[in-house]
Amino acid sequence: MDEGTGVDAAGAASPLGALADLAGSWLARSAATPERHTGAVAADRFDRIAWRDTYEQAPALRELAAELGERHPHADDLLTDAFLAAYKAAPRLREPTGMAPSRLVNHRIVTALLESPDFAELHRETVGDPYAAAMAVLAQGTALRRMLDDSRPARDGDERAALAGRDAEAAADAVAEALRQAADGADEEGRVPGPAADAVRRAVEDAEDAARRAASDAARSLAVAVPGVRAAASGAVAKSAAAAREEAALMRAWGVGSGELERMPFGERARLAERLRAGRLAEWAELIGRFRQMAAGERARKVENATGELIGVTLGDDLSRVIPSELANLGLPELRAVFAARYAAGELMLYDSQGEQATGRGAVIACVDTSHSMYEAGPGGITREAWAKACALALLDQARHGGRDFVGIVFSAADKLRVFRFPADAPADLTRTLDFAETFLGGGTSYQRPLSAAGELLEAEFNDAARTRGDIVMLTDDDCGVTEAWMRDWNVAKRRLGFRVFGVGIGAPRVAAAGSVLAALCDNLRCVEDFTDVHAAADLFRVI
């Protein structure tokens, strides 16, 4: 009997219990090996659902996965990790020792991404937003490909560690099988024939050798670094952060809120982003954002129903300006009827003031000239069309915040006109807003056609809802004549409906000069150059 092991020497029969103790203790140590994960970023089932749904909706992600998968195994797991790192509120990396050796390269790359200086900035734009997280992954695609290519030597070591691990698992299976066969061959007294006992001992020794080799290869694999991975990851994160920041700014410039984006299907949002990034719309984003901020600033400072400078007393029916002596009549029952009669006749004594004109109540109508000359450059080298559309879109915001209808009229020659309606009681359709911004008719310029259309819209509003005091804003770079008969009818309609006309001359000083046709038509006239100074242009948004 071998006193060290408690079993008989090699070649002699051995008690089954002693062999079971020997093999069982080793199998217990083998079974204690921690679970090997294939994902570097810890995730719950909701995170995995978010990734799966996004992956199914994003053809570009599937194309990237297919391209990387042709040359690099487990690239799909890397894309999942990169997405989760951007999407999760607090991404947590697993310990490298808990990773499957074949995924250690992924772990190194994702670690470098998370440790990049610009990751926090990227994460602010992508956290909780599957679309933004997917766009970040796509922006990192080139760098991920390069990092995977550079990691080939490290991956070879990881594969050797994985192979050694599989050998150790096979050796453990061999121990279990040898023990089973020994048990089958045991006699009634529980003694195992020598050859079967020797087979168990050899299986345990082989398994221990395989486990030592696996542990050694795993340690070497963990110690391997991928040259250049940090620099490549830093560049990838910086690039994706810039792309996310630019897209977020683009959406804000066009008035697309984060809540609206979150409700938007992935494909629709991708198409919208592509449309906004393309052509003229992308070029106008900064200018549009500036106008919208200008209008928002004036809304914040605006005081509704401000009285202005007190200059005396007048007669009327505005109860907000009634003088105290008139209000005193309401305290005497016998004079209340007198107050009511004077109110009905518009003869109450009111404080009279002068100052900025009160805001309107009817529709805001922006008439945007899109004749050929509007393609020319205006202030700052930006096209005249861009200045006009930016102002018109800020007026759209102004109307919606004031609960007023908005109408965009795009015009050029007398036979070219398009009308875009945005009712106050319905959400502003973004597609229609973009159609309004992109529409360009070309040709000459006619004042009468768009202004007549605007007047007809205000007339219809008055007939339907009894609303007056609409505002028409004419944005043009050309000076053209109107007939006397048309001018007479126009002035009659203006007095009856109480609307105001604002004019903005764009890129051509003569349009806004004294004595111009636009000057004769407008109550308030300015040049587009005024809009380069926020303070000089602010009153337009303060009174509309």
Side-chain angles (χ1 to χ4, degrees), residues 37-62:
H37 297 283
T38 58
V41 179
D44 58 30
R45 67 186 185 92
F46 298 106
D47 298 327
R48 290 189 288 271
I49 289 172
W51 162 249
R52 186 167 59 250
D53 290 346
T54 304
Y55 185 83
E56 290 173 355
Q57 296 177 62
L61 277 179
R62 297 196 297 274

Side-chain angles (χ1 to χ4, degrees), residues 280 284 366-376 383-389 392 408-414 416-418 436-437 439-447 450 473-480 504-508 510-511 518:
R280 294 178 297 160
W284 299 348
C367 299
V368 182
D369 185 355
T370 59
S371 58
H372 281 310
S373 57
M374 292 291 285
Y375 268 140
E376 296 180 16
T383 65
R384 299 173 182 179
E385 180 197 11
W387 283 100
K389 297 286 180 61
I409 297 179
V410 178
F411 73 93
S412 57
K416 294 184 177 181
L417 181 140
R418 284 193 64 184
F436 167 52
T439 297
F440 193 92
L441 302 178
T445 306
S446 167
Y447 281 1
V473 183
M474 188 76 167
L475 301 125
T476 181
D477 71 339
D478 202 359
D479 191 33
C480 64
V504 181
I506 301 178
R510 71 180 188 282
V511 177
L518 195 59

Side-chain angles (χ1 to χ4, degrees), residues 486-540:
W486 181 89
M487 193 69 174
R488 283 195 299 270
D489 293 341
W490 175 255
N491 287 330
V492 169
K494 187 177 178 185
R495 285 192 296 272
R496 184 177 73 258
L497 300 174
F499 61 78
R500 300 172 297 183
V501 182
F502 298 82
V504 181
I506 301 178
R510 71 180 188 282
V511 177
S516 68
V517 175
L518 195 59
L521 289 169
C522 295
D523 304 297
N524 184 311
L525 180 61
R526 68 196 65 240
C527 294
V528 73
E529 285 77 9
D530 296 337
F531 291 104
T532 59
D533 179 356
V534 172
H535 300 290
D539 64 306
L540 176 65

